[in-house]
Amino acid sequence: MAETWSHADYTVGWICALAKELVAAKVMLDKTHPPLSQLPNDPNSYTFGSIGEHNIVIACLPETGTINAATSATWMASSFSNIRVTLMVGIGGGIPPKVNIGDIVVSMPVDKYPGVVQYDFGKAETTGFRRTGALNKPRPALLAAIRNLQANHDISGFDLQRYLGEVKERNPKLKPEYLYPPTEPEMPPRQDEKIAPPPSFLLYIWKALCSIFYFLVGQWAFPPLHSESKNNRSAAGTALVLSSADGTIQRQHRVKSEVRYGLIASGDQVIKDAKFRDEVDRSLDYQVLCVEMEASGLMDNFGPLVIRGICDLANAEKHKAWQEYAAVIAAAYTKDLLMSLKSVEVQKEIPIRDILHQQGQSSTVVPLAS
């Protein structure tokens, strides 16, 4: 007999902003559930499924931005009375050199900051601009699961390749962009990156003589000719930057993804200027790891956890080549987290719809009967 599901069965809300982020979320589901009816005016399109012990409803925003995120999350809470934790999962821009392309950033409280701050919302006062837009800390159940997951990763590491392998096995026709990082053999240098000049003819002669000496005398008497210099690494650390005789820039992207925990800056504009990016970081005491466009719209009462795969460095070199892969690794971390999150702990959290009702922030619609 086929399993049947009701609106009250779903306790985890997963929100994403782009179609490629929705693809990443779908391929991480252990099981996909059939669709359910929804409120007549609810503009969201939902996907239903489960990961481990949790039944999950996924909503993809109609458009990016903080207002759309707030609207979609409120409708989700109205339609699903038992959602107790929310996750905002997708891609974002990293702040070098703290974060590299291909890393994962998870919002966590840092010093006086709660985890996510809206950098473009506040009040102009005599002492200057005071920010007032910030999300509350993630729900206690999520924070406890993160601590447990951090301990597991310290012991055994984050087995990203296992999740990617499972995705590939279950979805053999999935586009390779979601499973493998781009190679991009030739890219222009970043605006904040200094490139070494091409070697001169005399340098070639010197290297040839050194090679002969190295061969005759032995390795102990002479350092390796091709040792990696710190000056040859990009500011973000995402790639080894090589300069050939004709000035062509080549990069060998690394595959390893690091998980970083800290502050995410959210706003309503795409950041693709290194100076502006660094100014946002400076204004938040150099605590920012990632910038993005939706999370601050989820309001204090949702207490969401924001998880971002880093697809660019929020500068003039911003491009889309890493977006699919970044979306999948963020979703893979989310699945790893949900596998560490106990359903009994989720049930201890107050349903988000009840919190919104108490604060008078819910819509006036009547939820569907379950």
Side-chain angles (χ1 to χ4, degrees):
M1 183 177 177
E3 292 181 291
T4 57
W5 310 94
S6 70
H7 293 77
D9 290 323
Y10 295 90
T11 57
V12 177
W14 181 322
I15 300 173
C16 51
L18 303 173
K20 56 191 68 177
E21 296 172 352
L22 178 59
V23 170
K26 285 184 174 183
V27 298
M28 287 298 162
L29 294 173
D30 292 333
K31 295 181 181 179
T32 301
H33 299 170
L36 296 174
S37 57
Q38 63 190 74
L39 295 168
N41 296 323
D42 187 345
N44 291 337
S45 177
Y46 296 112
T47 298
F48 304 92
S50 61
I51 292 177
E53 303 175 353
H54 309 284
N55 290 329
I56 301 165
V57 54
I58 304 170
C60 187
L61 307 185
E63 295 182 52
T64 58
T66 57
I67 294 177
N68 286 313
T71 302
S72 291
T74 302
W75 275 105
M76 176 186 280
S78 297
S79 294
F80 298 90
S81 61
N82 209 24
I83 289 180
R84 297 164 186 265
V85 295
T86 53
L87 307 164
M88 187 83 194
V89 186
I91 60 176
I95 308 295
K98 295 175 283 187
V99 175
N100 303 329
I101 294 177
D103 283 347
I104 300 161
V105 173
V106 182
S107 65
M108 288 287 283
V110 178
D111 296 336
K112 62 183 178 181
Y113 302 108
V116 177
V117 173
Q118 187 171 357
Y119 63 82
D120 56 358
F121 186 75
K123 296 180 180 180
E125 299 180 342
T126 55
T127 56
F129 182 75
R130 181 173 66 88
R131 285 189 178 82
T132 57
L135 281 125
N136 208 343
K137 294 179 180 180
R139 294 296 183 89
L142 290 172
L143 290 175
I146 288 173
R147 298 305 183 196
N148 183 55
L149 191 60
Q150 284 180 296
N152 292 341
H153 287 174
D154 285 347
I155 296 170
S156 305
F158 173 34
D159 194 359
L160 174 62
Q161 294 306 313
R162 176 170 69 88
Y163 289 112
L164 296 182
E166 292 174 355
V167 168
K168 183 178 180 181
E169 183 177 353
R170 292 197 304 264
N171 305 273
K173 295 183 179 180
L174 183 66
K175 290 183 177 181
E177 291 88 342
Y178 288 93
L179 298 172
Y180 308 101
T183 53
E184 297 174 326
E186 295 188 7
M187 294 170 58
R190 292 204 322 273
Q191 62 187 38
D192 50 352
E193 184 176 77
K194 294 182 179 180
I195 302 301
S200 66
F201 176 75
L202 290 178
L203 182 58
Y204 282 121
I205 299 297
W206 170 249
K207 286 187 175 182
L209 292 174
C210 290
S211 297
I212 296 172
F213 181 77
Y214 179 79
F215 176 77
L216 293 175
V217 177
Q219 174 176 322
W220 60 271
F222 203 81
L225 293 176
H226 302 291
S227 61
E228 185 176 314
S229 168
K230 290 183 179 179
N231 293 330
N232 282 340
R233 285 205 175 270
S234 68
T238 60
L240 176 64
V241 179
L242 305 174
S243 180
S244 62
D246 62 358
T248 301
I249 305 303
Q250 296 183 336
R251 299 165 187 260
Q252 180 64 44
H253 284 285
R254 56 133 178 84
V255 177
K256 183 176 176 59
S257 295
E258 300 288 347
V259 182
R260 316 283 185 181
Y261 298 88
L263 183 62
I264 292 177
S266 181
D268 264 323
Q269 62 178 309
V270 177
I271 297 180
K272 48 185 178 181
D273 177 80
K275 291 183 179 180
F276 182 70
R277 173 202 68 197
D278 293 341
E279 173 59 25
V280 170
D281 187 28
R282 184 203 62 77
S283 68
L284 293 168
D285 301 322
Y286 299 101
Q287 299 286 353
V288 180
L289 299 181
C290 169
V291 293
E292 57 90 79
M293 291 181 61
E294 290 82 29
S296 59
L298 297 189
M299 303 183 299
D300 273 348
N301 294 320
F302 284 93
L305 183 69
V306 183
I307 301 165
R308 294 297 188 188
I310 302 303
C311 63
D312 59 63
L313 298 176
N315 59 12
E317 196 180 285
K318 186 180 181 74
H319 55 87
K320 298 182 179 181
W322 280 82
Q323 288 187 354
E324 289 84 358
Y325 185 75
V328 164
I329 62 176
Y333 173 88
T334 306
K335 181 169 185 175
D336 205 29
L337 176 65
L338 289 170
M339 298 298 288
S340 297
L341 179 63
K342 303 299 183 183
S343 60
V344 64
E345 297 301 321
V346 173
Q347 290 297 333
K348 294 178 182 178
E349 300 289 346
I350 301 174
I352 292 173
R353 193 183 69 173
D354 292 353
I355 297 176
L356 295 180
H357 280 165
Q358 293 170 8
Q359 299 297 324
Q361 294 183 14
S362 65
S363 58
T364 57
V365 296
V366 178
L368 293 171
S370 298

